[in-house]
């Protein structure tokens, strides 16, 4: 595995841990702007890094998760356990993709349309 891929995987895994902490904070306090901005920044960074490295699956799911987080940031919807569930699902999908990347050096085939649809429904359902 080349250094760039290893760094990406390490940073993404670290970011996911911080993201989970931010989401737990949001569950406890839906108006916690610091936790919300941290979660949004992590997902935005993952999206951009994935795009740069041409990891289309990671880019796609992180983009839709970022859109959902932006509805909370823009106060169009309030964060709750139920509304955060698709983000947690996204984290699990990202972890699975990262494991494959670490082993094979490339993304697994797939398109994640069901997850992306759940994320879209969550941010479009106001």
């Amino acid at each position: 595995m080349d250094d760039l891929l290893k760094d990406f995987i390490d940073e993404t895994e670290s970011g996911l841990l911080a993201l989970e902490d931010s989401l737990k904070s949001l569950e406890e306090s839906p108006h916690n702007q610091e936790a919300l901005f941290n979660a949004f920044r992590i997902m935005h960074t993952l999206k951009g890094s994935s795009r740069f490295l041409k990891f289309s699956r990671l880019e796609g799911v992180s983009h839709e998760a970022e859109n959902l987080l932006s509805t909370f940031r823009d106060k169009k919807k309030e964060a709750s356990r139920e509304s955060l569930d698709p983000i947690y699902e996204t984290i699990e999908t990202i972890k699975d993709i990262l494991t494959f990347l670490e082993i094979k050096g490339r993304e697994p085939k797939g398109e994640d349309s069901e997850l992306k649809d759940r994320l879209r429904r969550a941010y479009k359902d106001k």
Side-chain angles (χ1 to χ4, degrees):
M1 174 181 344
D2 71 13
D3 288 342
L4 182 61
L5 180 57
K6 183 179 179 347
D7 288 346
F8 171 76
I9 291 170
D10 290 346
E11 288 179 23
T12 301
E13 287 173 343
S14 176
L16 292 177
L17 291 173
L19 176 60
E20 288 172 324
D21 288 343
S22 292
L23 295 179
K24 288 174 187 167
S25 294
L26 281 172
E27 285 180 51
E28 294 169 9
S29 178
H31 301 289
N32 182 336
Q33 291 298 302
E34 182 179 341
L36 179 56
F37 287 132
N38 189 46
F40 181 85
R41 181 190 51 76
I42 292 166
M43 198 58 72
H44 180 75
T45 300
L46 174 58
K47 179 188 75 172
S49 298
S50 298
R51 178 179 295 148
F52 175 77
L53 294 169
K54 297 182 176 28
F55 294 143
S56 60
R57 285 187 67 191
L58 287 172
E59 180 186 356
V61 296
S62 59
H63 176 74
E64 295 301 338
E66 178 188 38
N67 286 342
L68 177 53
L69 289 167
S70 73
T71 64
F72 305 139
R73 183 194 63 196
D74 299 341
K75 297 181 171 88
K76 294 178 182 174
K77 188 172 193 160
E78 187 170 289
S80 67
R81 175 61 192 182
E82 183 180 283
S83 65
L84 292 171
D85 278 345
I87 305 287
Y88 284 111
E89 290 177 55
T90 302
I91 291 170
E92 291 309 310
T93 297
I94 291 168
K95 287 178 181 179
D96 291 344
I97 293 170
L98 288 177
T99 298
F100 193 92
L101 267 172
E102 194 166 25
I103 295 167
K104 301 286 187 176
R106 61 178 170 77
E107 279 188 309
K109 294 189 186 306
E111 33 96 1
D112 309 299
S113 59
E114 289 180 25
L115 174 58
K116 290 190 277 189
D117 286 344
R118 277 194 298 282
L119 287 159
R120 282 184 203 110
R121 280 193 306 273
Y123 67 77
K124 288 182 179 178
D125 178 35
K126 296 177 183 155

